[in-house]
Amino acid sequence: MLNRRHHCRRCGELVCQSCSPHRLPMSILVASSESCELQRACRRCAAEVLETKPEDERKVYEAAAAGSSRRARRRSVMAAEGAKGG
């Protein structure tokens, strides 16, 4: 069986699906981006990015990573963006 690999959108490392459960807005991953589109991030990059965020915002992104569907993750992240006024 083939183990599919994915690129982290922040560091470019190839990781398996279980090592890249986080989906974060592109605007958080890349400073020059204004997009809120959710992109795959490896655990290390997600931890580095999220440690700079306030605890309540960090919990939303962590919950989004644990969400079962892409739509659920997007809704929770969009709610966090709206709550912080961005």
Side-chain angles (χ1 to χ4, degrees), residues 9-66:
R9 299 301 191 263
R10 184 168 183 248
C11 69
E13 184 176 354
L14 279 172
V15 293
C16 67
Q17 181 175 351
S18 64
C19 293
S20 60
H22 296 278
R23 305 293 186 281
L24 299 172
M26 195 66 179
S27 58
I28 289 178
L29 296 173
V30 180
S32 62
S33 176
E34 294 181 11
S35 173
C36 286
E37 183 179 349
L38 299 179
Q39 296 292 326
R40 186 178 298 273
C42 68
R43 286 186 174 148
R44 186 187 65 204
C45 287
E48 289 174 5
V49 168
L50 293 177
E51 73 183 8
T52 65
K53 300 293 177 194
E55 185 175 347
D56 57 337
E57 190 175 332
R58 189 169 49 241
K59 285 181 181 179
V60 170
Y61 292 121
E62 289 168 352

